[in-house]
Coordinates of all heavy atoms in Angstrom, one line a residue:
M299 N -21.8 -16.0 -95.7 CA -21.9 -14.7 -95.2 C -20.6 -13.9 -95.5 O -19.5 -14.4 -95.3 CB -22.3 -14.8 -93.7 CG -22.3 -13.4 -93.1 SD -22.5 -13.4 -91.3 CE -24.3 -13.5 -91.2
G300 N -20.7 -12.7 -95.9 CA -19.5 -11.9 -96.1 C -19.4 -11.7 -97.6 O -20.3 -11.8 -98.4
I301 N -18.2 -11.4 -98.0 CA -17.8 -11.1 -99.4 C -16.8 -12.1 -100.0 O -15.7 -12.2 -99.4 CB -17.3 -9.7 -99.5 CG1 -18.3 -8.7 -99.0 CG2 -16.9 -9.4 -100.9 CD1 -17.8 -7.3 -98.9
D302 N -17.2 -12.8 -101.0 CA -16.2 -13.8 -101.6 C -15.2 -13.0 -102.5 O -15.4 -11.8 -102.8 CB -16.9 -14.9 -102.3 CG -17.7 -14.5 -103.5 OD1 -17.5 -13.4 -104.1 OD2 -18.6 -15.2 -104.0
A303 N -14.2 -13.7 -103.1 CA -13.2 -13.1 -103.8 C -13.7 -12.4 -105.1 O -13.3 -11.3 -105.5 CB -12.1 -14.1 -104.2
A304 N -14.6 -13.1 -105.8 CA -15.2 -12.5 -107.0 C -16.0 -11.2 -106.8 O -15.8 -10.2 -107.5 CB -16.0 -13.5 -107.8
R305 N -16.7 -11.3 -105.7 CA -17.5 -10.1 -105.4 C -16.6 -9.0 -104.9 O -16.8 -7.8 -105.2 CB -18.5 -10.4 -104.3 CG -19.4 -9.2 -103.9 CD -20.6 -9.6 -103.1 NE -21.1 -8.4 -102.5 CZ -21.8 -8.3 -101.4 NH1 -22.1 -9.4 -100.7 NH2 -22.2 -7.2 -100.9
L306 N -15.5 -9.3 -104.2 CA -14.5 -8.3 -103.8 C -14.0 -7.5 -105.0 O -13.9 -6.3 -104.9 CB -13.4 -8.9 -103.0 CG -12.2 -8.0 -102.6 CD1 -12.6 -6.8 -101.8 CD2 -11.1 -8.8 -102.0
V307 N -13.6 -8.2 -106.0 CA -13.0 -7.6 -107.2 C -14.1 -6.7 -107.9 O -13.8 -5.6 -108.3 CB -12.5 -8.7 -108.2 CG1 -12.0 -8.0 -109.5 CG2 -11.3 -9.4 -107.6
A308 N -15.3 -7.2 -108.0 CA -16.4 -6.5 -108.6 C -16.7 -5.2 -107.8 O -16.9 -4.1 -108.3 CB -17.6 -7.3 -108.7
D309 N -16.8 -5.3 -106.4 CA -17.1 -4.2 -105.6 C -16.0 -3.2 -105.6 O -16.2 -2.0 -105.6 CB -17.3 -4.7 -104.1 CG -18.6 -5.4 -103.9 OD1 -19.4 -5.4 -104.8 OD2 -18.9 -5.8 -102.7
A310 N -14.7 -3.6 -105.7 CA -13.6 -2.8 -105.7 C -13.6 -1.9 -107.0 O -13.5 -0.7 -106.9 CB -12.3 -3.5 -105.7
A311 N -13.9 -2.5 -108.1 CA -14.0 -1.8 -109.4 C -15.2 -0.8 -109.4 O -15.1 0.4 -109.8 CB -14.2 -2.7 -110.6
E312 N -16.3 -1.2 -108.8 CA -17.5 -0.3 -108.7 C -17.3 0.9 -107.8 O -17.6 2.0 -108.2 CB -18.7 -1.2 -108.2 CG -20.0 -0.3 -108.1 CD -21.1 -1.2 -107.5 OE1 -21.2 -2.4 -107.8 OE2 -21.9 -0.6 -106.7
L313 N -16.7 0.6 -106.6 CA -16.4 1.7 -105.7 C -15.4 2.7 -106.3 O -15.5 3.9 -106.1 CB -16.0 1.2 -104.4 CG -17.0 0.4 -103.6 CD1 -16.4 -0.3 -102.4 CD2 -18.2 1.3 -103.2
A314 N -14.4 2.1 -106.9 CA -13.3 3.0 -107.5 C -13.9 3.9 -108.6 O -13.6 5.1 -108.6 CB -12.2 2.2 -108.1
A315 N -14.8 3.3 -109.4 CA -15.4 4.1 -110.5 C -16.3 5.2 -109.9 O -16.3 6.3 -110.4 CB -16.2 3.2 -111.4
E316 N -17.0 4.8 -108.9 CA -17.9 5.8 -108.3 C -17.1 6.9 -107.6 O -17.6 8.1 -107.6 CB -18.8 5.1 -107.2 CG -19.9 6.0 -106.6 CD -20.8 5.2 -105.7 OE1 -20.9 4.0 -105.8 OE2 -21.5 5.9 -104.9
A317 N -15.9 6.6 -107.1 CA -15.1 7.6 -106.5 C -14.3 8.5 -107.5 O -13.7 9.5 -107.2 CB -14.1 7.0 -105.5
G318 N -14.3 8.0 -108.8 CA -13.6 8.8 -109.8 C -12.2 8.3 -110.0 O -11.3 9.0 -110.5
L319 N -11.9 7.1 -109.5 CA -10.5 6.5 -109.6 C -10.5 5.5 -110.8 O -11.3 4.6 -110.9 CB -10.2 5.7 -108.3 CG -9.8 6.4 -107.1 CD1 -9.6 5.5 -105.9 CD2 -8.6 7.3 -107.3
A320 N -9.5 5.7 -111.7 CA -9.2 4.7 -112.7 C -8.2 3.7 -112.1 O -7.1 4.1 -111.8 CB -8.7 5.3 -113.9
V321 N -8.6 2.4 -111.9 CA -7.7 1.5 -111.3 C -7.4 0.3 -112.1 O -8.2 -0.1 -113.0 CB -8.2 1.0 -109.9 CG1 -8.4 2.2 -108.9 CG2 -9.6 0.3 -110.0
N322 N -6.3 -0.3 -111.9 CA -5.9 -1.6 -112.3 C -6.0 -2.5 -111.1 O -5.6 -2.1 -110.0 CB -4.5 -1.7 -112.9 CG -4.5 -0.9 -114.2 OD1 -5.4 -0.9 -115.0 ND2 -3.4 -0.1 -114.4
T323 N -6.4 -3.8 -111.3 CA -6.5 -4.7 -110.2 C -5.6 -5.9 -110.4 O -5.5 -6.4 -111.5 CB -7.9 -5.2 -109.9 OG1 -8.4 -5.8 -111.1 CG2 -8.9 -4.0 -109.5
D324 N -5.0 -6.4 -109.3 CA -4.3 -7.6 -109.4 C -5.3 -8.7 -109.1 O -6.3 -8.5 -108.5 CB -3.2 -7.7 -108.3 CG -2.0 -6.7 -108.6 OD1 -2.0 -6.2 -109.7 OD2 -1.2 -6.5 -107.7
P325 N -4.9 -10.0 -109.4 CA -5.9 -11.1 -109.1 C -6.0 -11.2 -107.5 O -5.0 -10.9 -106.8 CB -5.2 -12.3 -109.6 CG -4.2 -11.8 -110.7 CD -3.8 -10.5 -110.3
P326 N -7.2 -11.5 -107.1 CA -7.4 -11.6 -105.6 C -6.6 -12.8 -105.0 O -6.3 -13.8 -105.7 CB -8.9 -11.8 -105.4 CG -9.3 -12.4 -106.7 CD -8.4 -11.9 -107.8
K327 N -6.3 -12.6 -103.7 CA -5.6 -13.7 -103.0 C -6.5 -14.1 -101.8 O -7.2 -13.2 -101.2 CB -4.2 -13.3 -102.5 CG -3.3 -13.0 -103.6 CD -1.9 -12.6 -103.1 CE -1.0 -12.2 -104.3 NZ 0.2 -11.7 -103.9
T328 N -6.5 -15.3 -101.4 CA -7.3 -15.8 -100.3 C -6.5 -16.5 -99.3 O -5.7 -17.4 -99.6 CB -8.5 -16.7 -100.8 OG1 -9.2 -15.9 -101.8 CG2 -9.3 -17.2 -99.7
Q329 N -6.7 -16.2 -98.0 CA -6.2 -17.0 -96.9 C -7.3 -17.6 -96.1 O -8.2 -16.8 -95.7 CB -5.3 -16.1 -96.0 CG -4.0 -15.7 -96.6 CD -3.1 -15.0 -95.7 OE1 -3.6 -14.1 -94.9 NE2 -1.8 -15.3 -95.6
R330 N -7.2 -18.8 -95.8 CA -8.3 -19.5 -95.0 C -7.8 -19.9 -93.6 O -6.7 -20.3 -93.5 CB -8.8 -20.7 -95.7 CG -9.4 -20.4 -97.1 CD -10.1 -21.6 -97.7 NE -10.6 -21.2 -99.1 CZ -11.7 -20.6 -99.4 NH1 -12.4 -20.1 -98.4 NH2 -12.0 -20.3 -100.6
S331 N -8.7 -19.7 -92.7 CA -8.4 -20.1 -91.3 C -9.7 -20.5 -90.6 O -10.5 -19.7 -90.3 CB -7.7 -19.0 -90.5 OG -7.4 -19.3 -89.2
G332 N -9.8 -21.8 -90.4 CA -11.0 -22.4 -89.8 C -12.2 -22.0 -90.7 O -12.1 -22.2 -91.9
P333 N -13.3 -21.4 -90.2 CA -14.4 -21.1 -91.0 C -14.3 -19.8 -91.7 O -15.3 -19.4 -92.4 CB -15.6 -21.1 -89.9 CG -14.9 -20.6 -88.7 CD -13.5 -21.2 -88.7
F334 N -13.2 -19.1 -91.6 CA -13.1 -17.8 -92.2 C -12.2 -17.8 -93.4 O -11.2 -18.6 -93.5 CB -12.5 -16.8 -91.2 CG -13.4 -16.6 -90.1 CD1 -13.2 -17.2 -88.9 CD2 -14.5 -15.7 -90.2 CE1 -14.0 -17.0 -87.8 CE2 -15.4 -15.5 -89.1 CZ -15.1 -16.1 -87.9
A335 N -12.5 -17.0 -94.4 CA -11.7 -16.7 -95.6 C -11.5 -15.2 -95.7 O -12.4 -14.5 -95.6 CB -12.3 -17.3 -96.8
V336 N -10.2 -14.8 -95.7 CA -9.9 -13.4 -95.9 C -9.3 -13.2 -97.3 O -8.3 -13.8 -97.7 CB -8.8 -13.0 -94.9 CG1 -8.4 -11.5 -95.1 CG2 -9.3 -13.2 -93.5
H337 N -10.0 -12.4 -98.1 CA -9.7 -12.2 -99.5 C -9.1 -10.8 -99.6 O -9.5 -9.8 -98.9 CB -11.0 -12.2 -100.4 CG -11.8 -13.4 -100.2 ND1 -11.4 -14.7 -100.6 CD2 -13.0 -13.6 -99.6 CE1 -12.3 -15.6 -100.3 NE2 -13.3 -14.9 -99.7
T338 N -8.0 -10.6 -100.4 CA -7.4 -9.3 -100.6 C -7.3 -9.1 -102.1 O -7.0 -10.1 -102.9 CB -6.1 -9.2 -99.9 OG1 -5.2 -10.2 -100.4 CG2 -6.2 -9.3 -98.4
V339 N -7.4 -7.9 -102.5 CA -7.1 -7.5 -103.9 C -6.3 -6.2 -103.8 O -6.5 -5.3 -103.0 CB -8.4 -7.3 -104.7 CG1 -9.3 -6.2 -104.2 CG2 -8.1 -7.2 -106.2
Q340 N -5.3 -6.1 -104.7 CA -4.5 -4.9 -104.8 C -5.0 -4.0 -106.0 O -5.2 -4.5 -107.1 CB -3.0 -5.2 -105.1 CG -2.3 -5.9 -104.0 CD -1.9 -5.0 -102.9 OE1 -1.8 -3.7 -103.1 NE2 -1.7 -5.5 -101.7
L341 N -5.2 -2.7 -105.7 CA -5.7 -1.8 -106.7 C -4.5 -0.8 -106.9 O -3.9 -0.3 -106.0 CB -6.9 -1.0 -106.2 CG -8.0 -1.8 -105.7 CD1 -9.1 -0.8 -105.1 CD2 -8.7 -2.6 -106.8
S342 N -4.3 -0.4 -108.1 CA -3.3 0.6 -108.5 C -4.0 1.8 -109.2 O -4.7 1.5 -110.2 CB -2.2 0.1 -109.4 OG -1.5 -1.0 -108.7
A343 N -3.8 3.0 -108.7 CA -4.4 4.1 -109.4 C -3.2 5.1 -109.7 O -2.5 5.5 -108.8 CB -5.4 4.8 -108.5
R344 N -3.1 5.4 -111.0 CA -2.0 6.3 -111.3 C -2.6 7.7 -111.7 O -3.7 7.8 -112.3 CB -1.3 5.8 -112.5 CG -0.5 4.5 -112.2 CD 0.5 4.2 -113.3 NE 1.2 5.4 -113.6 CZ 2.5 5.4 -113.7 NH1 3.2 4.4 -113.5 NH2 3.1 6.6 -114.0
R345 N -1.9 8.7 -111.4 CA -2.2 10.1 -111.8 C -3.6 10.5 -111.4 O -4.5 10.8 -112.1 CB -2.1 10.3 -113.3 CG -0.7 10.0 -113.8 CD -0.2 10.6 -115.1 NE -0.4 12.0 -115.2 CZ 0.3 13.0 -114.6 NH1 1.4 12.7 -113.9 NH2 0.0 14.3 -114.8
T346 N -3.8 10.3 -110.1 CA -5.1 10.7 -109.5 C -4.8 11.8 -108.5 O -3.7 12.3 -108.3 CB -5.8 9.5 -108.8 OG1 -7.1 9.8 -108.5 CG2 -5.0 9.0 -107.6
D347 N -5.9 12.2 -107.8 CA -5.8 13.2 -106.8 C -6.2 12.7 -105.4 O -6.9 11.7 -105.3 CB -6.5 14.5 -107.1 CG -8.0 14.4 -107.3 OD1 -8.5 13.4 -106.8 OD2 -8.6 15.2 -108.0
L348 N -5.9 13.4 -104.4 CA -6.2 13.0 -103.0 C -7.7 13.0 -102.8 O -8.3 12.2 -102.1 CB -5.5 13.9 -102.0 CG -5.6 13.4 -100.5 CD1 -5.0 12.0 -100.4 CD2 -4.8 14.4 -99.7
A349 N -8.4 13.9 -103.4 CA -9.9 14.0 -103.2 C -10.6 12.7 -103.7 O -11.5 12.2 -103.0 CB -10.5 15.2 -104.0
A350 N -10.1 12.1 -104.8 CA -10.7 10.9 -105.3 C -10.4 9.7 -104.3 O -11.3 8.8 -104.0 CB -10.1 10.5 -106.6
L351 N -9.2 9.7 -103.7 CA -8.9 8.7 -102.7 C -9.8 8.8 -101.4 O -10.2 7.9 -100.8 CB -7.5 8.7 -102.3 CG -6.5 8.3 -103.4 CD1 -5.1 8.6 -103.0 CD2 -6.7 6.8 -103.7
V352 N -10.1 10.1 -101.0 CA -10.9 10.3 -99.9 C -12.3 9.9 -100.2 O -13.0 9.2 -99.3 CB -10.9 11.8 -99.5 CG1 -11.9 12.1 -98.4 CG2 -9.5 12.1 -98.9
R353 N -12.8 10.1 -101.4 CA -14.1 9.6 -101.8 C -14.2 8.1 -101.7 O -15.2 7.5 -101.3 CB -14.5 10.1 -103.2 CG -14.9 11.6 -103.3 CD -15.5 12.0 -104.6 NE -14.6 11.7 -105.7 CZ -13.7 12.6 -106.2 NH1 -13.6 13.8 -105.6 NH2 -13.0 12.3 -107.2
F354 N -13.1 7.5 -102.2 CA -13.1 6.0 -102.2 C -13.2 5.5 -100.7 O -13.9 4.6 -100.4 CB -11.8 5.5 -102.9 CG -11.7 4.0 -102.9 CD1 -12.4 3.3 -103.8 CD2 -10.8 3.4 -102.1 CE1 -12.3 1.9 -103.8 CE2 -10.6 2.0 -102.1 CZ -11.4 1.2 -103.0
Y355 N -12.4 6.1 -99.9 CA -12.4 5.7 -98.4 C -13.8 5.9 -97.9 O -14.3 5.0 -97.1 CB -11.4 6.6 -97.6 CG -11.6 6.4 -96.2 CD1 -11.1 5.3 -95.5 CD2 -12.2 7.4 -95.4 CE1 -11.3 5.2 -94.1 CE2 -12.4 7.3 -94.1 CZ -12.0 6.2 -93.4 OH -12.1 6.0 -92.1
K356 N -14.5 7.0 -98.2 CA -15.8 7.2 -97.6 C -16.8 6.2 -98.2 O -17.8 5.9 -97.5 CB -16.2 8.7 -97.9 CG -15.5 9.7 -97.1 CD -16.0 11.1 -97.4 CE -15.3 12.1 -96.5 NZ -15.7 13.5 -96.7
L357 N -16.6 5.7 -99.4 CA -17.5 4.7 -99.9 C -17.2 3.3 -99.3 O -18.1 2.5 -99.1 CB -17.3 4.6 -101.4 CG -17.8 5.8 -102.2 CD1 -17.3 5.7 -103.7 CD2 -19.4 5.8 -102.2
V358 N -16.0 3.0 -98.9 CA -15.6 1.7 -98.3 C -16.0 1.7 -96.9 O -16.5 0.7 -96.4 CB -14.1 1.5 -98.5 CG1 -13.6 0.3 -97.7 CG2 -13.7 1.3 -100.0
K359 N -15.8 2.8 -96.2 CA -16.0 2.8 -94.7 C -17.4 2.2 -94.2 O -17.4 1.4 -93.3 CB -15.9 4.2 -94.2 CG -15.9 4.4 -92.7 CD -15.7 5.8 -92.3 CE -15.8 5.9 -90.8 NZ -15.7 7.3 -90.3
P360 N -18.5 2.5 -94.8 CA -19.8 2.0 -94.3 C -19.9 0.5 -94.5 O -20.8 -0.1 -93.9 CB -20.8 2.7 -95.1 CG -20.2 3.8 -95.8 CD -18.7 3.5 -95.9
R361 N -19.1 -0.1 -95.3 CA -19.1 -1.6 -95.5 C -18.3 -2.4 -94.5 O -18.3 -3.6 -94.6 CB -18.7 -1.9 -96.9 CG -19.6 -1.3 -98.0 CD -19.1 -1.5 -99.3 NE -19.9 -0.9 -100.3 CZ -20.3 -1.5 -101.5 NH1 -19.9 -2.8 -101.7 NH2 -21.1 -0.9 -102.3
A362 N -17.7 -1.8 -93.6 CA -17.0 -2.4 -92.5 C -18.0 -3.2 -91.6 O -19.1 -2.7 -91.5 CB -16.2 -1.4 -91.6
P363 N -17.7 -4.3 -91.1 CA -16.4 -5.0 -91.0 C -16.1 -6.0 -92.1 O -15.1 -6.6 -92.1 CB -16.5 -5.7 -89.7 CG -18.0 -6.2 -89.6 CD -18.7 -5.0 -90.3
Y364 N -17.1 -6.1 -93.1 CA -16.8 -7.1 -94.1 C -15.9 -6.6 -95.2 O -15.3 -7.4 -96.0 CB -18.2 -7.5 -94.8 CG -19.1 -8.1 -93.8 CD1 -20.2 -7.4 -93.3 CD2 -18.8 -9.4 -93.4 CE1 -21.0 -8.0 -92.4 CE2 -19.7 -10.0 -92.4 CZ -20.8 -9.3 -92.0 OH -21.6 -9.9 -91.0
L365 N -15.7 -5.3 -95.4 CA -14.8 -4.8 -96.4 C -14.0 -3.6 -95.8 O -14.6 -2.8 -95.1 CB -15.6 -4.2 -97.6 CG -14.9 -3.7 -98.8 CD1 -14.2 -4.9 -99.5 CD2 -15.9 -3.1 -99.8
A366 N -12.7 -3.6 -96.0 CA -11.8 -2.6 -95.4 C -10.6 -2.4 -96.2 O -10.1 -3.2 -97.0 CB -11.4 -3.1 -94.0
I367 N -10.0 -1.2 -96.1 CA -8.8 -0.9 -96.7 C -7.7 -1.4 -95.7 O -7.6 -0.9 -94.6 CB -8.6 0.6 -96.9 CG1 -9.7 1.1 -97.9 CG2 -7.2 1.0 -97.4 CD1 -9.7 2.6 -98.2
G368 N -6.9 -2.3 -96.2 CA -5.9 -2.9 -95.4 C -4.5 -2.3 -95.5 O -3.7 -2.5 -94.7
G369 N -4.3 -1.5 -96.5 CA -3.0 -0.8 -96.7 C -3.2 0.2 -97.8 O -4.0 0.0 -98.7
L370 N -2.4 1.3 -97.7 CA -2.5 2.3 -98.7 C -1.1 2.9 -98.8 O -0.5 3.3 -97.8 CB -3.5 3.4 -98.2 CG -3.6 4.7 -99.0 CD1 -4.1 4.4 -100.4 CD2 -4.5 5.7 -98.3
T371 N -0.6 3.0 -100.0 CA 0.7 3.6 -100.3 C 0.5 4.7 -101.3 O -0.1 4.5 -102.4 CB 1.7 2.6 -100.9 OG1 1.8 1.4 -100.0 CG2 3.1 3.2 -101.1
L372 N 1.0 5.9 -101.0 CA 0.9 7.1 -101.9 C 2.3 7.5 -102.4 O 3.2 7.4 -101.6 CB 0.2 8.2 -101.2 CG -1.1 8.0 -100.6 CD1 -1.6 9.2 -99.8 CD2 -2.1 7.6 -101.7
Q373 N 2.3 7.9 -103.6 CA 3.6 8.5 -104.2 C 3.3 9.7 -105.1 O 2.4 9.6 -105.9 CB 4.3 7.4 -105.0 CG 5.6 7.8 -105.5 CD 6.4 6.7 -106.2 OE1 5.9 5.6 -106.2 NE2 7.5 7.1 -106.9
A374 N 4.0 10.7 -104.9 CA 3.8 11.9 -105.7 C 4.3 11.6 -107.1 O 5.3 11.0 -107.3 CB 4.5 13.1 -105.1
E375 N 3.5 12.1 -108.1 CA 4.0 12.0 -109.5 C 4.9 13.2 -109.8 O 4.7 14.3 -109.4 CB 2.8 12.1 -110.4 CG 1.9 10.9 -110.4 CD 2.5 9.7 -111.2 OE1 3.3 9.9 -112.0 OE2 2.0 8.6 -110.9
R376 N 6.0 12.9 -110.5 CA 6.9 13.9 -110.9 C 6.2 15.0 -111.8 O 5.5 14.6 -112.8 CB 8.1 13.3 -111.7 CG 8.9 12.5 -110.8 CD 10.1 12.0 -111.6 NE 10.7 11.0 -110.8 CZ 12.0 10.6 -110.9 NH1 12.8 11.2 -111.8 NH2 12.6 9.7 -110.2
G377 N 6.5 16.2 -111.5 CA 5.9 17.3 -112.3 C 4.5 17.5 -112.3 O 3.9 18.3 -113.0
G378 N 3.8 16.7 -111.4 CA 2.3 16.8 -111.4 C 1.9 17.6 -110.1 O 2.2 17.2 -109.0
N379 N 1.3 18.7 -110.3 CA 0.7 19.5 -109.2 C -0.3 18.8 -108.4 O -1.5 18.8 -108.9 CB 0.3 20.9 -109.7 CG 1.4 21.8 -110.2 OD1 2.6 21.6 -109.8 ND2 1.1 22.7 -111.0
G380 N 0.0 18.2 -107.3 CA -1.0 17.5 -106.5 C -1.4 16.2 -107.1 O -2.4 15.6 -106.6
V381 N -0.8 15.7 -108.2 CA -1.1 14.4 -108.8 C -0.3 13.3 -108.1 O 0.9 13.5 -107.9 CB -0.8 14.5 -110.3 CG1 -1.1 13.1 -110.9 CG2 -1.7 15.5 -110.9
I382 N -1.0 12.3 -107.7 CA -0.4 11.1 -107.0 C -0.7 9.8 -107.6 O -1.6 9.7 -108.4 CB -0.8 11.1 -105.5 CG1 -2.3 11.0 -105.4 CG2 -0.3 12.3 -104.8 CD1 -2.8 10.9 -104.0
S383 N 0.1 8.8 -107.3 CA -0.3 7.4 -107.6 C -0.5 6.7 -106.3 O 0.1 7.1 -105.3 CB 0.9 6.7 -108.3 OG 1.0 7.2 -109.6
A384 N -1.4 5.8 -106.3 CA -1.8 5.1 -105.1 C -1.9 3.6 -105.3 O -2.2 3.1 -106.4 CB -3.2 5.6 -104.6
R385 N -1.5 2.8 -104.3 CA -1.6 1.4 -104.3 C -2.5 1.1 -103.0 O -2.1 1.5 -101.9 CB -0.3 0.7 -104.2 CG -0.3 -0.7 -104.3 CD 0.7 -1.1 -105.4 NE 0.8 -2.6 -105.5 CZ 0.2 -3.4 -106.4 NH1 -0.5 -2.8 -107.3 NH2 0.3 -4.6 -106.4
I386 N -3.6 0.4 -103.3 CA -4.6 0.2 -102.2 C -4.8 -1.3 -102.0 O -5.0 -2.0 -103.0 CB -5.9 0.9 -102.5 CG1 -5.7 2.3 -102.8 CG2 -6.9 0.6 -101.4 CD1 -6.9 3.0 -103.6
Q387 N -4.7 -1.8 -100.8 CA -5.0 -3.2 -100.5 C -6.4 -3.2 -99.9 O -6.7 -2.6 -98.9 CB -4.0 -3.8 -99.6 CG -4.4 -5.3 -99.3 CD -3.5 -5.9 -98.2 OE1 -3.2 -5.3 -97.3 NE2 -3.0 -7.1 -98.5
L388 N -7.4 -3.8 -100.6 CA -8.7 -3.9 -100.1 C -8.9 -5.4 -99.6 O -8.5 -6.3 -100.3 CB -9.7 -3.6 -101.3 CG -11.1 -3.2 -100.9 CD1 -11.0 -1.9 -100.0 CD2 -11.9 -2.9 -102.1
T389 N -9.5 -5.5 -98.4 CA -9.7 -6.8 -97.8 C -11.1 -7.1 -97.5 O -11.8 -6.2 -97.1 CB -8.8 -6.8 -96.5 OG1 -7.5 -6.5 -96.8 CG2 -8.9 -8.1 -95.7
A390 N -11.5 -8.3 -97.7 CA -12.9 -8.7 -97.4 C -12.9 -10.0 -96.5 O -12.0 -10.8 -96.7 CB -13.7 -8.9 -98.6
V391 N -13.8 -10.2 -95.7 CA -13.9 -11.4 -94.8 C -15.2 -12.1 -95.2 O -16.2 -11.5 -95.4 CB -14.0 -11.0 -93.3 CG1 -14.2 -12.2 -92.5 CG2 -12.7 -10.2 -93.0
E392 N -15.0 -13.4 -95.3 CA -16.2 -14.3 -95.6 C -16.2 -15.4 -94.6 O -15.2 -16.0 -94.3 CB -16.0 -14.9 -97.0 CG -17.0 -15.9 -97.4 CD -16.7 -16.4 -98.8 OE1 -15.5 -16.5 -99.3 OE2 -17.7 -16.9 -99.4
L393 N -17.4 -15.7 -94.1 CA -17.6 -16.9 -93.3 C -17.9 -18.1 -94.2 O -18.9 -18.1 -94.9 CB -18.7 -16.7 -92.3 CG -19.0 -17.8 -91.3 CD1 -17.8 -18.2 -90.5 CD2 -20.2 -17.5 -90.4
A394 N -16.9 -19.0 -94.3 CA -17.0 -20.1 -95.3 C -18.1 -21.1 -94.9 O -18.3 -21.3 -93.7 CB -15.7 -20.8 -95.4
P395 N -18.9 -21.6 -95.8 CA -19.9 -22.6 -95.5 C -19.4 -23.9 -95.0 O -18.3 -24.2 -95.2 CB -20.6 -22.8 -96.8 CG -19.8 -22.3 -97.9 CD -18.8 -21.4 -97.2

């Protein structure tokens, strides 16, 4: 039950594309504790706008509690009017069999 690491990466790419974000993903990491596995993946989006990030958030929000944004870092791009770079940590919980 929940979302495994492979599905997390696939869902992250799908949601980002739907939101209009071009992202790079780091390999997922997993921490296990008892019957639970918490998977995280880091997404990097360069030269995007805040509207795309808000769309991404709105696509992730209904998938809670199994999928959530665990961290978000924004940085303004030099010389870009309203253009930003973002680093997003997406987290998923799985009940291990």
Side-chain angles (χ1 to χ4, degrees):
M299 174 185 275
I301 299 173
D302 65 19
R305 183 169 164 204
L306 171 61
V307 173
D309 285 357
E312 179 183 322
L313 293 171
E316 190 174 337
L319 287 174
V321 296
N322 293 320
T323 59
D324 292 350
K327 296 180 181 174
T328 300
Q329 289 185 315
R330 299 189 185 279
S331 179
F334 296 99
V336 177
H337 310 289
T338 58
V339 65
Q340 292 283 338
L341 310 173
S342 298
R344 295 194 47 130
R345 304 204 48 80
T346 191
D347 60 19
L348 191 56
L351 291 171
V352 170
R353 285 191 300 272
F354 181 76
Y355 169 77
K356 288 180 177 180
L357 291 168
V358 171
K359 185 178 176 185
R361 296 178 180 223
Y364 297 107
L365 186 65
I367 296 174
L370 175 65
T371 304
L372 302 176
Q373 182 176 353
E375 289 281 341
R376 291 183 191 203
N379 291 336
V381 178
I382 57 176
S383 289
R385 188 125 172 103
I386 305 162
Q387 181 185 45
L388 203 57
T389 302
V391 177
E392 177 184 25
L393 182 59

